[in-house]
């Protein structure tokens, strides 16, 4: 039971997603228990090392140059400054540090050399180092791996069918190619998406289907609730229901049992009880710190309180998923 499968059908995934929600939570919690230590939550910190001015047109994103948001464009941060942030994050209990850049793709230039130095530096601190820099070639993935990169985040965001409604400056195939390059370089894959952009349930299922039928499941699947930002085309989207977050998390947990499922953007609008249900449904990772990339996130103090009340324990760095049940 619950063997790792890469041949899920859309119908099977839809049937899981649409189960009576309490039944779904129970089943996902059961799978979670078989593959993970319950109550253990990975704490990751994000840092935007290059903010704003992005040429892409992702409708949700405050960093796209073409939308008028409050995000100030900043050039790539200095290596020392980044390492200071990483060291602070480690001090505050994070075991994974993820550096994000508002780039369409990585270019082979001095900025990339700087990112390589950042990766080397963070990796030498004993943290799991992750980057999200846009599209990558195989060669660039290889260089990042050699520098000590542990994981690469590159989200599919939504279904192939809905993708063009959200982004027109690249296509779904480009995203999948980058994931292949990352996998090819033996870097841990982090890929998930966003709900609350006006997609249908079928699009959510479509995205989960693509992830769960990759030759290897991503080791990490972030589930983001849209953070609607003033000035972006999606600024007026209604708040995602917590039950939808729970269904996404639980379904991801059931079909990709070994993956870390990350309760990502959107926590700032969730109370403790709602987050507790997400952990019960199989989420076992969060972003900590008072900022995601550019938008607010619950700060360390609030999260510490949550860990205490829910008796959660932070996961150690570089830990393998528990083997077969
Ligand atoms: N530029 C790179 C890219 O697009 O791959 C890396 C950074 S980009 C900001 C990383 C991810 O953040 C996006 O793929 C998207 O899933 C998520 N994201 C961006 N804006 C968001 C928002 N307003 N709400 C929720 N998630 C968001
Ligand atoms: C992911 O799936 N969510 C994070 C991380 N990967 C890079 C980013 C969320 C960004 C939310 C909007 C912002 O703060 O700019
Ligand atoms: Fe650029 Fe990434 Fe934002 Fe899209 S999501 S606009 S690629 S920073």
């Amino acid at each position: 039971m619950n063997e790792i499968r890469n041949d899920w059908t859309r119908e099977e995934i839809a049937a899981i997603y649409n189960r009576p929600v309490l039944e779904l939570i129970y089943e996902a919690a059961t799978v979670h228990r078989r593959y993970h230590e319950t109550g253990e939550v990975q704490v990751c910190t994000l840092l935007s090392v290059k903010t704003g001015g992005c040429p892409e047109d992702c409708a949700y994103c405050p960093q796209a140059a073409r939308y008028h948001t409050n995000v100030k464009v900043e050039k790539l941060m200095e290596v020392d400054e980044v390492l200071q942030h990483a060291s602070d994050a480690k001090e505050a209990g994070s075991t994974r540090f993820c550096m994000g850049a508002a780039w369409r793709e990585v270019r082979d230039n001095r900025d990339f050399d700087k990112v390589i130095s950042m990766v080397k530096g963070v990796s030498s601190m004993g943290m799991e180092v992750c980057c999200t820099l846009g599209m990558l070639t195989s060669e660039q993935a290889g260089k990042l791996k050699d520098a000590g990169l542990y994981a690469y985040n590159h989200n599919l965001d939504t279904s192939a069918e809905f993708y063009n409604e959200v982004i027109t400056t690249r296509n779904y195939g480009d995203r999948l190619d980058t994931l292949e390059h990352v996998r090819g370089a033996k870097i841990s894959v982090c890929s998930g998406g966003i709900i609350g952009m006006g997609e249908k349930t079928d699009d959510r299922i479509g995205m989960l289907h693509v992830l769960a039928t990759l030759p290897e499941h991503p080791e990490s699947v972030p589930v983001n609730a849209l953070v609607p930002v003033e000035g972006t085309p999606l600024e007026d989207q209604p708040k995602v229901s917590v039950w939808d977050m729970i269904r996404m998390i639980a379904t991801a947990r059931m079909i990709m049992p070994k993956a870390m499922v990350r309760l990502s953007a959107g926590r700032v609008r969730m109370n403790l009880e709602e987050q507790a249900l997400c952990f019960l449904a199989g989420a076992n990772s969060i972003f900590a710190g008072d900022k995601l990339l550019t938008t607010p996130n619950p700060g360390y103090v609030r999260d510490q309180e949550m860990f205490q009340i829910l008796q959660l324990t932070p996961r150690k760095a570089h830990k393998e998923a528990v083997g077969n049940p």
Side-chain angles (χ1 to χ4, degrees), residues 50 52-65 67 101-105 132 134 157 167 169-170 175 293:
K50 156 71 185 78
C54 183
E56 300 281 80
D57 71 350
C58 312
Y60 48 77
C61 188
Q63 303 198 66
Y67 311 135
W103 286 335
R104 170 186 161 78
E105 77 243 308
T132 181
D157 282 337
I167 300 146
T169 48
R170 56 169 187 258
R175 283 318 254 189
L293 290 171

Side-chain angles (χ1 to χ4, degrees), residues 3-236:
E3 78 277 30
I4 306 297
R5 284 180 50 195
N6 301 73
D7 62 351
W8 293 97
T9 65
R10 248 172 122 126
E11 291 69 32
E12 284 175 311
I13 297 173
I16 295 174
Y17 183 94
N18 289 312
R19 266 179 213 172
V21 75
L22 298 182
E23 199 60 28
L24 175 58
I25 294 173
Y26 171 77
E27 288 180 16
T30 310
V31 172
H32 190 187
R33 238 140 264 259
R34 277 203 198 112
Y35 285 88
H36 300 270
E37 270 171 51
T38 49
E40 190 181 78
V41 174
Q42 177 188 50
V43 183
C44 318
T45 292
L46 272 173
L47 178 68
S48 182
V49 298
K50 156 71 185 78
T51 306
C54 183
E56 300 281 80
D57 71 350
C58 312
Y60 48 77
C61 188
Q63 303 198 66
R66 64 193 73 203
Y67 311 135
H68 301 284
T69 66
N70 284 331
V71 170
K72 270 206 304 220
V73 180
E74 279 165 48
K75 66 175 180 46
L76 186 67
M77 277 171 83
E78 293 305 326
V79 178
D80 287 351
E81 201 185 339
V82 171
L83 297 186
Q84 186 57 51
H85 278 276
S87 151
D88 293 348
K90 185 177 175 183
E91 198 69 24
S94 280
T95 51
R96 182 183 285 219
F97 189 71
C98 180
M99 299 178 277
W103 286 335
R104 170 186 161 78
E105 77 243 308
V106 169
R107 306 251 174 93
D108 296 298
N109 56 18
R110 262 182 289 167
D111 275 358
F112 185 45
D113 297 339
K114 256 186 171 178
V115 171
I116 293 284
S117 303
M118 293 171 191
V119 169
K120 284 185 181 153
V122 179
S123 163
S124 72
M125 290 177 188
M127 296 174 98
E128 292 179 15
V129 50
C130 175
C131 279
T132 181
L133 315 166
M135 293 184 253
L136 274 188
T137 63
S138 299
E139 292 70 34
Q140 292 162 340
K143 281 186 190 162
L144 286 164
K145 172 75 185 177
D146 291 344
L149 190 76
Y150 184 80
Y152 195 79
N153 166 252
H154 201 64
N155 290 338
L156 290 180
D157 282 337
T158 188
S159 67
E161 297 78 24
F162 192 65
Y163 202 74
N164 293 342
E165 308 275 320
V166 182
I167 300 146
T168 68
T169 48
R170 56 169 187 258
N171 59 45
Y172 215 63
D174 295 331
R175 283 318 254 189
L176 292 168
D177 287 348
T178 293
L179 291 181
E180 215 176 284
H181 300 155
V182 172
R183 187 52 90 201
K186 305 218 173 328
I187 296 169
S188 178
V189 172
C190 172
S191 188
I194 309 179
I195 64 170
M197 303 189 293
E199 74 288 342
K200 299 204 165 45
T201 301
D202 199 42
D203 294 308
R204 298 175 183 174
I205 289 159
M207 179 188 85
L208 289 171
H209 180 241
V210 177
L211 292 172
T213 56
L214 287 171
E216 261 183 278
H217 295 162
E219 283 76 10
S220 157
V221 178
V223 179
N224 295 278
L226 175 76
V227 181
V229 178
E230 209 183 315
T232 63
L234 297 181
E235 63 181 357
D236 290 326

Side-chain angles (χ1 to χ4, degrees), residues 25 29 32-33 39-44 223 225 239-247 249-250 261-289 292 296-312:
I25 294 173
H32 190 187
R33 238 140 264 259
E40 190 181 78
V41 174
Q42 177 188 50
V43 183
C44 318
V223 179
K239 181 174 181 275
V240 165
S241 151
V242 70
W243 303 110
D244 288 10
M245 273 308 263
I246 290 168
R247 284 186 190 280
I249 289 168
V261 177
R262 187 167 307 116
L263 170 57
S264 304
R267 281 201 309 123
V268 82
R269 295 206 278 179
M270 292 169 84
N271 63 25
L272 181 92
E273 292 80 357
E274 291 170 333
Q275 294 183 64
L277 279 172
C278 292
F279 295 129
L280 188 60
N284 59 350
S285 176
I286 56 165
F287 286 120
L292 289 164
N297 190 52
Y300 286 114
V301 175
R302 206 178 127 188
D303 279 342
Q304 232 166 29
E305 199 178 275
M306 175 170 82
F307 271 60
Q308 257 167 26
I309 294 174
L310 301 180
Q311 293 169 282
L312 303 174

